[in-house]
């Protein structure tokens, strides 16, 4: 089976929704459903982009800077790695996740090297 990354995009500004507890409960139920189906591999939420440290190789040295590498109106708030038989199956899980979170979810195959 191929692995897919389900990336969750969050807006940089705004307040958490009033029903965040419900959303997190529904996300846990979806994770349990994916585990039962043998699709779930790994998931994690991420701290705010302001906690990031960027390492960039330049001329034989590595430059270290605080904060996100790019400025945007959204950031990666979390991710899930799943295994699926094909893209259609991965999109099935991605659609369910987007519906639960009411946030954009990007589905991308993990490269096989």
């Amino acid at each position: 089976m191929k692995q897919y990354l389900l990336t969750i995009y969050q807006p940089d500004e705004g307040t958490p929704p009033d029903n965040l507890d419900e959303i997190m409960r529904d996300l846990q139920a979806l994770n349990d459903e994916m585990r039962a189906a043998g699709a779930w591999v790994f998931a994690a939420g991420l701290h705010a982009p302001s906690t990031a440290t960027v390492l960039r190789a330049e001329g034989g040295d590595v430059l270290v800077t605080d904060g996100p590498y790019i400025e945007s109106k959204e950031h990666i708030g979390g991710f899930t790695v799943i295994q699926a038989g094909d893209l259609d199956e991965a999109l099935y899980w991605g659609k369910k996740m987007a519906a639960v979170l009411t946030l954009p979810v990007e589905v991308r195959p993990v490269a096989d090297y």
Side-chain angles (χ1 to χ4, degrees), residues 42-107:
F42 177 77
L46 300 173
H47 287 282
S50 61
T51 66
T53 302
V54 178
L55 308 171
R56 182 179 307 129
E58 287 187 5
D61 199 9
V62 177
L63 180 64
V64 179
T65 57
D66 292 334
Y69 177 67
I70 58 173
E71 295 292 326
S72 70
K73 294 181 181 182
E74 295 179 324
H75 64 273
I76 298 172
F79 62 91
T80 299
V81 176
I82 63 168
Q83 55 187 13
D86 58 24
L87 179 59
D88 288 337
E89 184 180 346
L91 291 174
Y92 168 81
W93 293 114
K95 288 176 183 178
K96 289 187 84 139
M97 183 174 286
V100 165
L101 296 173
T102 65
L103 292 169
V105 173
E106 177 184 304
V107 177

Side-chain angles (χ1 to χ4, degrees), residues 13-71:
E13 297 188 15
T15 58
D18 291 336
N19 63 337
L20 184 59
D21 289 340
E22 178 185 341
I23 290 170
M24 296 309 293
R25 186 185 66 240
D26 292 347
L27 179 59
Q28 184 60 48
L30 176 59
N31 286 337
D32 291 343
E33 182 182 352
M34 287 190 285
R35 281 185 188 96
W40 191 90
V41 175
F42 177 77
L46 300 173
H47 287 282
S50 61
T51 66
T53 302
V54 178
L55 308 171
R56 182 179 307 129
E58 287 187 5
D61 199 9
V62 177
L63 180 64
V64 179
T65 57
D66 292 334
Y69 177 67
I70 58 173
E71 295 292 326

Side-chain angles (χ1 to χ4, degrees), residues 1-5 41 81-84 108-112:
M1 292 192 126
K2 191 162 188 68
Q3 290 188 342
Y4 293 85
L5 177 68
V41 175
V81 176
I82 63 168
Q83 55 187 13
R108 188 185 302 190
V110 174
D112 295 330

